[in-house]
Amino acid sequence: MKWFEKCESRPRRTEFLVFGQPDLREDDERLILECLRSRWIGQGPRVESFEEEFRAYQGVGHAVAVNSCTAAMHLALITAGAGPGDEVITSSLTFCSTANVIVHVGATPVLVDVEPGSMNLDPAAVEAAVTSRTRAIIPVHFAGRPVRMAEILDIARPRGISVISDAAHAIETEIDGTRVGALGDAVAFSFYVTKNLTTGEGGMLTTSRADWASSWRQLRLHGLSRDAWKRYGSSGRARYECVAPGYKYNMTDLEAALGLAQLRRLEQGAKRREEVWSLYDEALADLPVERPQPPDPKTRHARHLYPVLLDLEKLRADRDEVIEQLRAENIGTGIHFVAVHLHPYYRERFALQPESFPHASRISERTMSLPLSSALTDEDVADVVGSLRRVLGRLAV
Ligand SMILES: *Cc1c(COP(=O)(O)O)cnc(C)c1O
């Protein structure tokens, strides 16, 4: 009997396994405590250190910390000059905030379908969607798998269209040895609780453009002159000036302390998620599910999500029922995503039809993400595998 078949006879888990639980350890506590004891808990030197270490990790010119990936994408669209009358192209298979920020700047979101295998936006669909009003493209590196950026940049560059990546899933992602933080005009990262690196809430923007970075530093803190965060410190000036109607999007040192500890363990976490990924690949091979396709050679997949597509023709239940039955076994799962065009606001305001996005619509109906946190123990993985095999066994037609 194979190891994954043996998992089926494990007793039901007693404690609920939370999907996307953060991997928090002693050094996280130590750095946060040091920050607390320093009495400087707002934006300060730790934010600067975190930016510098993140910038070096991505191998890019500038990194600017903000309080979410959503804020990051909003600022990037502002510097790209996107506004009323403009169109911004993005993937339909993403979190709603990728589209929301386009609405925030007054531009029109233009959603395109994904490729069925990679689940990333299809460069051919992007090309077909470009018009004279297209101001920016927001490729989303779904689950941590890189978008075919060379093709996207070839479409954008000659037309003067900005490329702003949503890299919420993709901190470790590489194409030909280059991290995605160094590709395109701006790249937005998320440090939300479930992400590969967490600060509780947080985000980062990277760019090779000094003018964009400088503009973000100002806009993230009310549009104050650049060093205004130092205004209460010994080296700062108490007087400051507001030079633009900016936002309250800055990161705090408490969050950056956690970010620094997390960043220094990033590769360790990636290694663990790769192990869990391989275990799932093995354990699910004979089940009525489509597993994620292997990463393309010459790329690195950040292994943020392990989304499986349920073979609904072979099951007596829909996806939501499978999730309910796993919950009853104390296993938490996620849905990534119900596509943007299926949400009421976008469906109604832009009169979108599911048939216009056949691949994203199909994925939305059948996708289910298994826990893939680096905090998972071997016991946790065995629980997920055992419960999934039992549930799908019960529901098989
Ligand atoms: C999590 C996520 C976001 C939003 O990140 P926040 O930091 O919570 O703003 C955006 N896009 C995708 C694809 C995400 O998964």
Side-chain angles (χ1 to χ4, degrees):
M1 201 190 253
K2 298 268 179 46
W3 69 269
F4 46 85
E5 289 167 329
K6 285 188 199 148
C7 292
E8 290 173 39
S9 53
R10 293 173 68 81
R12 176 177 166 276
R13 247 185 105 88
T14 49
E15 201 186 318
F16 186 70
L17 179 64
V18 175
F19 176 85
Q21 58 178 302
D23 189 354
L24 300 172
R25 312 210 172 193
E26 233 172 83
D27 38 330
D28 298 300
E29 295 177 14
R30 186 170 53 78
L31 264 65
I32 289 177
L33 203 53
E34 275 174 21
C35 176
L36 268 180
R37 289 180 174 154
S38 80
R39 297 292 187 274
W40 192 289
I41 60 174
Q43 184 184 341
R46 284 172 176 82
V47 169
E48 291 207 326
S49 304
F50 183 40
E51 288 175 336
E52 174 48 28
E53 290 190 27
F54 194 88
R55 187 203 63 71
Y57 180 83
Q58 292 297 331
V60 63
H62 310 273
V64 178
V66 289
N67 60 10
S68 72
C69 180
T70 306
M73 293 188 288
H74 185 202
L75 293 184
L77 281 175
I78 291 170
T79 44
D86 294 329
E87 294 171 355
V88 177
I89 299 172
T90 193
S91 174
S92 57
L93 193 69
T94 184
F95 185 55
C96 60
S97 82
T98 320
N100 289 347
V101 292
I102 301 171
V103 176
H104 293 167
V105 296
T108 303
V110 176
L111 303 173
V112 297
D113 203 6
V114 295
E115 304 167 316
S118 73
M119 303 192 190
N120 275 329
L121 90 181
D122 181 353
V126 171
E127 178 130 48
V130 168
T131 72
S132 58
R133 291 165 178 256
T134 308
R135 176 68 63 157
I137 302 169
I138 311 184
V140 182
H141 303 289
F142 181 80
R145 185 190 306 277
V147 168
R148 298 209 301 267
M149 286 299 283
E151 288 167 60
I152 300 294
L153 291 168
D154 281 349
I155 296 166
R157 288 251 159 84
R159 299 172 169 104
I161 296 169
S162 298
V163 176
I164 299 165
S165 286
D166 177 342
H169 301 172
I171 298 177
E172 303 96 329
T173 303
E174 295 174 14
I175 302 172
D176 284 330
T178 302
R179 296 233 157 84
V180 292
L183 298 170
D185 298 288
V187 186
F189 295 90
S190 174
F191 309 133
Y192 177 63
V193 184
T194 57
K195 301 290 170 22
N196 291 356
L197 183 166
T198 187
T199 59
E201 296 282 5
M204 190 78 81
L205 270 166
T206 60
T207 184
S208 56
R209 303 176 60 152
D211 55 336
W212 282 30
S214 152
S215 158
W216 298 333
R217 288 183 197 287
Q218 202 164 75
L219 288 173
R220 72 173 164 185
L221 192 64
H222 309 291
L224 303 186
S225 35
R226 187 193 150 152
D227 288 332
W229 65 266
K230 292 180 181 164
R231 64 194 182 277
Y232 299 116
S234 63
S235 66
R237 273 172 301 164
R239 198 187 132 81
Y240 55 85
E241 288 178 315
C242 176
V243 293
Y247 302 86
K248 181 61 178 179
Y249 281 172
N250 60 306
M251 180 181 276
T252 68
D253 264 25
L254 269 181
E255 290 160 333
L258 181 52
L260 280 164
Q262 292 263 312
L263 181 57
R264 291 166 189 166
R265 284 204 320 275
L266 188 67
E267 288 299 325
Q268 194 184 319
K271 194 156 161 271
R272 175 58 182 159
R273 293 194 313 276
E274 202 153 325
E275 285 166 10
V276 175
W277 178 291
S278 304
L279 292 171
Y280 285 155
D281 267 355
E282 215 183 312
L284 275 57
D286 61 339
L287 297 181
V289 300
E290 206 178 299
R291 294 165 295 164
Q293 67 177 33
D296 283 342
K298 295 208 200 153
T299 70
R300 182 183 185 194
H301 189 302
R303 320 273 183 187
H304 175 58
L305 298 173
Y306 190 92
V308 300
L309 299 183
L310 298 170
D311 188 347
L312 297 178
E313 285 69 41
K314 293 192 183 143
L315 293 169
R316 276 183 288 111
D318 62 11
R319 186 265 320 277
D320 295 353
E321 175 63 22
V322 172
I323 284 182
E324 262 327 296
Q325 295 211 12
L326 284 168
R327 193 192 302 275
E329 299 242 349
N330 272 331
I331 304 296
T333 55
I335 299 175
H336 302 89
F337 292 96
V338 170
V340 177
H341 66 270
L342 299 171
H343 287 281
Y345 173 79
Y346 290 95
R347 191 181 64 217
E348 288 159 23
R349 160 112 193 250
F350 302 101
L352 301 173
Q353 306 294 328
E355 305 79 54
S356 309
F357 311 91
H359 300 306
S361 299
R362 179 174 182 275
I363 292 167
S364 298
E365 202 175 39
R366 342 179 142 227
T367 192
M368 177 176 80
S369 302
L370 301 183
L372 190 63
S373 161
S374 53
L376 292 173
T377 64
D378 289 343
E379 296 289 294
D380 294 332
V381 175
D383 285 341
V384 174
V385 166
S387 290
L388 183 64
R389 293 185 64 88
R390 278 203 295 263
V391 167
L392 295 183
R394 278 203 301 267
L395 295 172
V397 288

